Amino acid sequence: MTQENTPPNPAELDSLDAIADCLADAFEDGDGAVITVAMQAVAQAPGLGALAAAVGMPRDALHTALVAEEFNLDLTLEIMKVVDLHMSGRG
């Protein structure tokens, strides 16, 4: 979400890089509603499988959790770790 109040386009989230950028922006914003919108966009993203693999859970289970807004603290922290590791690896 590069522009304020512009929800991410799930179709553009076709790689772990794109998902990491989207989620990093949402986490940086710090608004729960913005994070929820970003997570729901990720649930519909073509790159969801890459995030699921990085988090270590089946794609369908991650999709279900994100759509149902059931991203508990453990799942949220795992996603944040992946985003942080992925973003810091860019050099």
Side-chain angles (χ1 to χ4, degrees), residues 32-78:
V34 171
I35 294 169
T36 298
V37 167
M39 293 271 208
Q40 290 177 339
V42 168
Q44 305 306 321
L48 180 62
L51 179 62
V55 169
M57 67 187 300
R59 184 198 181 286
D60 291 343
L62 181 56
H63 176 267
T64 299
L66 294 175
V67 168
E69 297 182 28
E70 294 178 358
F71 27 96
N72 61 27
L73 183 57
D74 289 336
L75 176 56
T76 303
L77 290 174
E78 286 301 314

Side-chain angles (χ1 to χ4, degrees), residues 1-7:
M1 293 190 311
T2 57
Q3 295 181 349
E4 192 171 328
N5 298 325
T6 303

